[in-house]
Amino acid sequence: ASVPEVLGELDLGGVPGLVETFVDGKPATMAILGSERVGREVLRSIADWLERWNAHTAVERQIESEDVQKLVLAPAERLADELPEHYVTNLRRLVDRCVGARAPFVAAHSDLTAANVLLMDGAHIGVVDWHGAQAESLPLGDLAYAAADIASGVGGYRDRPAGYAEAFGGGGAFDELTRSLVTRTAGDLRLDPAMVDLCLQACWLLHADDERRDADGSRGGRPFLAILRQAAEQLRE
C-alpha cells in the first residue's frame, strides 16, 4: 500500500500539524456505496495488504497480564455498566486462557475505515490518516474493523451495528468472506480460537471505549457500543 511520508512538523497558532507527502487515489467510500461486489473486492485488497504488513511488523512474545489489562479488561470495566451482566465474567475467563501464551503483536492503523483507504489502479491501495496508529497491538483488529465498516458503507453508513451484523452476524452479505479472511489471517499468525476471540473483543472494546471518551459520541447513538453488545452476546455463545 502507498502511505504518506512525514516531511516535517509545524505549529499554526498553537495547533500542531504535520506536512506529509501526497497519496494518490480516490476514497473507497464512494466506490463501495450500493455495491456489495466492490465492497468485497476492497475488503480482499485490504486483507491482502494487512497480511503482508502483519508479517513485516509482527513480534511474537508472551501475553502478559499488563497487556490484557490495558487492551481488554480496563476498557471492559469502564463500559461494564452498559454491557450484559455476563460479559466481563466471560471476558475474564477468556483472558485466563490466553495470558502466558505466546502470540504475535503487530502494528495497527486502528481506524481502517473505507474513507481512509484510497483506490488506485489494479488492486493497489493507499492508506491515510494514521493519527490513531499503534506500534504494538493484538492482531485482527484492523481487519475486523475494515470488514464491519465496509459492510456498513455499502448501505451508506445508515446503520453501523447492522453493518457489523452483515460481516459477523451469521448469514449476512459479508459474513462468509469476513470469516474466511479472519480464518486465513489467524492461520498465518498461528492464533488458536481463544486468541481469535480475544483479538476480536479487543477491537470492539477499543472503539467503544474511544466513543465513550468522545464528548460528542452520543450524538450518533454510540454505534460502537451497540456493536460491542452484539460481540458480547457472541462471546457467550
Side-chain angles (χ1 to χ4, degrees):
S2 296
V3 300
E5 296 181 15
V6 177
L7 300 177
E9 300 182 21
L10 51 79
D11 186 288
L12 298 174
V15 179
L18 294 176
V19 179
E20 299 178 334
T21 56
F22 179 75
V23 180
D24 198 8
K26 297 180 180 180
T29 44
M30 295 306 297
I32 67 175
L33 182 61
S35 176
E36 293 177 2
R37 179 188 62 80
V38 176
R40 291 189 187 94
E41 291 175 358
V42 172
L43 181 55
R44 289 189 186 96
S45 293
I46 291 172
D48 290 345
W49 166 65
L50 285 172
E51 184 176 33
R52 296 187 294 272
W53 196 39
N54 286 341
H56 183 69
T57 65
V59 176
E60 185 174 303
R61 64 173 177 82
Q62 183 171 289
I63 299 176
E64 305 290 350
S65 297
E66 292 80 3
D67 296 319
V68 292
Q69 181 62 35
K70 174 184 176 182
L71 300 173
V72 179
L73 294 179
E77 289 163 1
R78 289 191 288 267
L79 294 160
D81 290 344
E82 302 177 278
L83 295 170
E85 292 183 4
H86 65 82
Y87 181 60
V88 174
T89 299
N90 288 350
L91 197 61
R92 288 186 178 278
R93 290 173 182 160
L94 178 61
V95 163
D96 288 343
R97 294 168 60 188
C98 296
V99 169
R102 295 190 66 81
F105 285 74
V106 300
H109 181 279
S110 301
D111 190 17
L112 209 52
T113 173
N116 292 332
V117 175
L118 306 181
L119 303 183
M120 304 177 181
D121 293 335
H124 195 70
I125 60 174
V127 181
V128 297
D129 196 357
W130 291 80
H131 75 280
Q134 303 174 68
E136 184 181 82
S137 177
L138 290 172
L140 294 182
D142 279 340
L143 177 58
Y145 182 85
D149 181 85
I150 289 172
S152 178
V154 168
Y157 294 106
R158 289 187 295 270
D159 190 338
R160 280 189 177 273
Y164 172 85
E166 286 291 309
F168 290 96
F174 284 80
D175 180 70
E176 183 177 352
L177 175 59
T178 299
R179 292 183 183 278
S180 69
L181 294 174
V182 168
T183 298
R184 185 184 80 179
T185 303
D188 291 341
L189 297 173
R190 299 189 298 278
L191 303 176
D192 65 25
M195 272 301 306
V196 171
D197 285 343
L198 186 70
C199 293
L200 294 177
Q201 294 298 323
C203 169
W204 305 119
L205 282 163
L206 167 69
H207 292 292
D209 197 34
D210 284 347
E211 184 180 64
R212 177 193 62 82
R213 287 193 295 265
D214 181 1
D216 297 325
S218 59
R219 293 181 183 177
R222 298 184 65 185
F224 288 105
L225 176 61
I227 287 174
L228 179 59
R229 285 171 174 160
Q230 293 183 61
E233 291 302 322
Q234 291 170 336
L235 181 61
R236 179 167 60 180
E237 295 171 2

